[in-house]
C-alpha cells in the first residue's frame, strides 16, 4: 500500500451556524492526483483554504507527512511542502511575470543558503517553462490573458517546490484548446523533471474542477462534496455514476 501523504480526519468548519465543511475524512497517497468535485458552494475552495492554513478548522485534524498541520500559519505550511493556486488570481500586476515567480522561489523551503539573484532568476525561468509561459517572462503580469494568468499561478506555486499541489479550478474560464494545453502542462508537471526538489517525481495533487470530462482524464481518484459533506470517494468513472453525486448536481431524479 502506498504511503499516505495527507490525512484528513473529521474536518469541520462553521461560519456562525453554517457548517461549510462537515466531518470530512480522506487520505491522499504519495504521487496521487485526486479530483475534488461538487456543485457551486459545496465547500471545495473552503477545504483547500483549510489545508493551506488560510482558514482555521473548527474541528478535526490535517496531517501532512505524519505531522499535524492544523492551526499552523500558511507560511509554515508552504515551507513544509504544500502550495496552492487560487480561484481568484491576485498577481503583482505591475511587476514583470518573472518577478512574480522569483518571490515564491525565495521562500525558505526553495532557497538554498547563499543563493544569488541570478540563480533565483534561472529557477523562476524554469518554473515559467514548466508552466509554458517563459516567452512572456519580462512582460507585466497585467498583460496576461485569463489562461496565462492560470499558468502564472502554477509557476508561482511550483517555485516553492511543493510535494503537494492544490489547484483550484485550473480550467476555469479557459477555451477548449487552452483547457487541453493546461491539462497537458499539469500531466507533464506531475511526471516530474528537472526542477529543484521536483527533479525525480512531480508533486501529488488535489485538483478542484467543474470540467469533469477533462478532470477524469488526469485524476486517479475523485472525491465529491455536497453541502460540505464528502458523498463519494473512488475511481473517476464510478464516482460520476454514483446516484448521490448525480443527485447533488442535478437534484432528485437525476439528469
Ligand atoms: N468566509 C466565509 N464566511 C461565510 N461563509 C463562507 C465563507 N467562505 C465561504 N463561505 C460559504 O461556504 C460555502 C462554500 O463555499 P466555497 O467557496 O468553499 O464553495 P465552492 O465549492 O468552492 O464553490 P464554487 O464551485 O462556486 O467555487 C458557500 O455557501 C459560501 O458562501
Ligand atoms: Mg470554489
Amino acid at each position: 500500500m502506498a504511503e499516505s501523504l495527507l490525512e484528513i480526519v473529521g474536518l469541520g468548519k462553521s461560519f456562525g451556524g453554517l457548517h461549510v465543511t462537515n466531518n470530512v475524512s480522506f487520505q491522499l497517497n504519495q504521487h496521487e492526483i485526486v479530483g475534488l468535485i461538487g456543485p457551486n458552494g459545496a465547500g471545495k475552495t473552503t477545504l483547500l483554504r483549510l489545508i493551506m492554513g488560510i482558514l482555521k478548522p473548527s474541528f478535526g485534524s490535517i496531517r501532512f507527512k505524519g505531522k499535524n498541520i492544523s492551526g499552523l500559519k500558511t507560511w509554515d505550511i508552504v515551507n513544509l511542502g504544500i502550495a496552492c493556486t487560487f480561484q481568484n488570481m491576485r498577481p503583482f500586476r505591475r511587476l514583470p511575470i518573472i518577478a512574480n515567480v522569483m518571490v515564491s522561489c525565495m521562500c525558505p523551503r526553495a532557497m538554498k543558503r547563499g543563493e544569488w539573484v541570478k540563480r533565483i532568476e534561472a529557477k523562476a525561468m524554469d518554473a515559467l517553462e514548466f508552466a509554458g509561459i517563459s516567452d512572456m517572462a519580462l512582460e507585466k503580469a497585467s498583460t496576461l490573458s485569463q489562461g496565462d494568468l492560470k499558468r502564472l499561478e502554477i509557476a508561482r506555486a511550483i517555485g516553492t517546490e511543493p510535494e503537494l499541489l492544490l489547484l483550484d479550478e485550473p480550467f476555469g474560464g479557459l477555451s477548449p484548446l487552452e483547457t487541453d494545453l493546461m491539462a497537458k502542462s499539469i500531466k507533464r508537471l506531475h511526471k516530474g523533471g528537472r526542477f529543484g526538489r521536483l527533479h525525480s517525481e512531480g508533486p501529488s495533487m488535489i485538483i478542484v474542477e467543474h470540467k469533469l470530462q477533462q478532470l477524469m482524464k488526469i485524476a486517479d481518484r475523485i472525491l465529491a462534496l455536497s453541502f460540505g459533506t464528502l458523498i463519494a470517494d473512488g475511481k473517476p468513472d464510478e464516482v460520476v455514476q454514483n446516484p448521490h453525486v448525480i443527485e447533488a448536481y442535478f437534484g432528485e431524479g437525476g439528469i
Side-chain angles (χ1 to χ4, degrees), residues 235-253:
K235 289 193 181 132
D237 47 350
E238 287 168 9
V239 169
V240 294
Q241 287 173 31
N242 180 315
H244 298 296
V245 176
I246 295 172
E247 189 182 327
Y249 272 93
F250 301 106
E252 214 172 329

Side-chain angles (χ1 to χ4, degrees), residues 125-173:
M125 205 61 193
D126 272 358
L128 285 170
E129 242 158 56
F130 249 101
I133 47 167
S134 54
D135 52 333
M136 291 182 256
L138 298 179
E139 287 171 32
K140 280 191 181 164
S142 59
T143 63
L144 289 176
S145 67
Q146 179 80 356
D148 289 335
L149 268 176
K150 297 237 168 215
R151 294 178 175 280
L152 172 57
E153 279 284 290
I154 290 185
R156 290 206 297 183
I158 64 179
T160 67
E161 302 184 17
E163 278 175 68
L164 171 60
L165 183 57
L166 315 177
L167 302 175
D168 201 350
E169 300 200 23
F171 307 145

Side-chain angles (χ1 to χ4, degrees), residues 15 18 20 38-47 49 55 87 168-169 208 210 225:
F15 293 108
L18 184 68
V20 172
N40 292 117
K44 305 178 296 295
T45 297
T46 303
L47 183 54
R49 289 162 73 88
L55 292 173
Q87 193 173 358
D168 201 350
E169 300 200 23
V208 170
H210 286 293
L225 276 179

Side-chain angles (χ1 to χ4, degrees), residues 5-234:
L5 183 69
L6 183 78
E7 190 182 8
I8 291 185
V9 180
L11 194 66
K13 178 72 189 172
S14 311
F15 293 108
L18 184 68
H19 300 299
V20 172
T21 309
N22 218 343
N23 197 20
V24 169
S25 300
F26 68 91
Q27 295 192 357
L28 180 93
N29 298 322
Q30 294 274 6
H31 209 55
E32 203 176 16
I33 300 187
V34 165
L36 179 59
I37 66 169
N40 292 117
K44 305 178 296 295
T45 297
T46 303
L47 183 54
L48 299 194
R49 289 162 73 88
L50 287 165
I51 297 171
M52 286 312 300
I54 298 166
L55 292 173
K56 267 199 171 161
S58 309
F59 311 97
S61 69
I62 306 169
R63 299 183 84 80
F64 178 63
K65 293 166 76 179
K67 183 182 163 74
N68 189 354
I69 60 164
S70 20
L72 290 188
K73 295 221 159 53
T74 302
W75 178 255
D76 293 320
I77 291 172
V78 169
N79 272 317
L80 286 171
I82 310 182
C84 75
T85 67
F86 292 93
Q87 193 173 358
N88 300 316
M89 300 164 289
R90 289 165 64 187
F92 299 110
R93 289 184 185 275
R94 286 189 291 178
L95 291 185
I97 288 159
I98 190 158
N100 270 272
V101 184
M102 285 171 74
V103 171
S104 70
C105 291
M106 285 192 279
C107 88
R109 172 182 173 79
M111 196 156 149
K112 312 291 176 292
R113 192 182 277 264
E115 217 164 29
W116 293 84
V117 170
K118 267 200 171 159
R119 171 94 190 86
I120 294 162
E121 197 178 327
K123 228 159 144 181
M125 205 61 193
D126 272 358
L128 285 170
E129 242 158 56
F130 249 101
I133 47 167
S134 54
D135 52 333
M136 291 182 256
L138 298 179
E139 287 171 32
K140 280 191 181 164
S142 59
T143 63
L144 289 176
S145 67
Q146 179 80 356
D148 289 335
L149 268 176
K150 297 237 168 215
R151 294 178 175 280
L152 172 57
E153 279 284 290
I154 290 185
R156 290 206 297 183
I158 64 179
T160 67
E161 302 184 17
E163 278 175 68
L164 171 60
L165 183 57
L166 315 177
L167 302 175
D168 201 350
E169 300 200 23
F171 307 145
L174 303 190
S175 69
L177 179 66
E178 285 175 322
T179 301
D180 274 351
L181 289 173
M182 180 62 81
K184 283 196 182 113
S185 293
I186 291 172
K187 270 193 192 162
R188 201 165 67 90
L189 176 61
H190 181 248
K191 262 194 190 159
R194 276 174 21 81
F195 181 78
R197 265 170 236 250
L198 309 178
H199 55 87
S200 52
E201 283 203 334
S204 307
M205 299 184 189
I206 298 179
I207 306 178
V208 170
E209 240 328 308
H210 286 293
K211 292 187 178 167
L212 301 190
Q213 277 189 339
Q214 289 289 347
L215 182 64
M216 281 172 69
K217 286 186 202 157
I218 52 178
D220 302 310
R221 209 171 106 211
I222 302 246
L223 305 176
L225 276 179
S226 174
F227 295 108
T229 302
L230 201 59
I231 54 167
D233 174 353

